[in-house]
Amino acid sequence: MSRDPGRVLRELLDAHGRTYAEEAGIRLRDTPQPLYRLLVLAHLLSARIRGSIAVATARALHEAGLRDPRRMAHADWQERVDALGRGGYRRYDERTATQLGEAAELLTERWGGDLRRLREQAGGEVPEVRRLLQEFPGIGPTGADIFLREVQRVWPATTPYLDRKALQGAERLGLPDDPDRLLDLAGPADPAVLAAALVRASVDRAVLRDALDRAG
């Protein structure tokens, strides 16, 4: 049965249209602390682990007071491991605890703890921002894409950012895999919300089935 692409996308956005930052309790603004928390969330989400665990772990790190690079870098390694464990991030906890400390030190030493300075160093050029993000321990191409998908809400120069994972979700939904056509179908929807919803359809079969069932 052929479904109307516009309706499929509307149903997806209505049911699953929120960013991962929102889910993690990050009130994203173009200021140092929420941008850092987003970087940590991107790090956690980029591992082969359920998104819900990564989100819960980002919340646990925040609740432990590890919400800015200075505190993260100065925290005891075991403190970071314990916070990761409380979020359920046990499979990668020891390595991730080390990487979070090293990344926080790099951010502090090189960019004064402010990711806006990284953006400025890149001249606002998205490919260069993506490259610089990958200099953080634990942030590879996947983590950089996650960060850019989410940060486009407050960094307009990165919009629209629909990466391979988002376009994969569109394909699975039977939608166009062309960013411009997807944006047209989404109408006034926030591109960051669109990207997150498409990624959910890519990685979660329940989301995929739900959106298709709703579309009839």
Side-chain angles (χ1 to χ4, degrees):
M1 180 177 64
S2 177
R3 297 178 175 87
D4 174 48
R7 183 173 180 185
V8 171
L9 193 51
R10 285 193 300 273
E11 295 294 347
L12 174 71
L13 290 168
D14 285 347
H16 306 285
R18 65 170 175 163
T19 66
Y20 285 92
E22 288 173 324
E23 189 177 348
I26 301 171
R27 191 172 297 175
L28 195 58
R29 298 186 301 276
D30 190 21
T31 55
Q33 188 177 112
L35 291 174
Y36 174 68
R37 290 184 64 197
L38 178 59
L39 181 70
V40 171
L41 177 61
H43 182 160
L44 299 173
L45 283 168
S46 65
R48 295 190 178 188
I49 199 164
R50 288 203 307 274
S52 59
I53 293 177
V55 165
T57 302
R59 286 182 173 271
L61 288 166
H62 178 75
E63 290 164 3
L66 307 179
R67 59 194 66 169
D68 62 53
R70 180 185 60 80
R71 293 175 182 175
M72 185 70 80
H74 290 170
D76 180 81
W77 178 82
Q78 189 62 50
E79 185 180 351
R80 294 194 293 266
V81 169
D82 291 345
L84 290 164
R86 286 193 294 274
Y89 208 85
R90 296 185 179 88
R91 182 177 175 187
Y92 304 102
D93 55 353
E94 295 187 359
R95 182 182 67 182
T96 302
T98 299
Q99 291 173 335
L100 287 173
E102 292 173 346
E105 290 175 2
L106 176 61
L107 178 56
T108 301
E109 293 169 2
R110 189 167 176 185
W111 293 292
D114 189 345
L115 284 161
R116 294 174 301 179
R117 296 185 182 180
L118 178 151
R119 180 188 63 198
E120 290 167 6
Q121 181 179 329
E125 296 295 326
V126 174
E128 182 63 7
V129 171
R130 188 174 185 270
R131 186 191 71 78
L132 288 172
L133 287 169
Q134 292 177 64
E135 296 193 9
F136 290 110
I139 299 287
T142 297
D145 283 338
I146 293 168
F147 181 88
L148 287 165
R149 284 199 310 259
E150 297 273 320
V151 84
Q152 65 183 317
R153 171 165 272 184
V154 295
W155 285 4
T158 65
T159 301
Y161 197 87
L162 298 177
D163 67 331
R164 179 186 57 80
K165 184 62 72 174
L167 296 179
Q168 185 180 74
E171 183 179 1
R172 290 181 178 179
L173 287 161
L175 300 174
D177 60 1
D178 176 74
D180 290 335
R181 292 180 65 192
L182 285 169
L183 289 165
D184 286 343
L185 281 174
D190 184 330
V193 171
L194 171 62
L198 290 172
V199 168
R200 285 190 169 91
S202 175
V203 301
D204 189 334
R205 290 182 181 178
V207 170
L208 178 68
R209 287 196 299 268
D210 181 61
L212 293 175
D213 288 345
R214 286 170 180 269

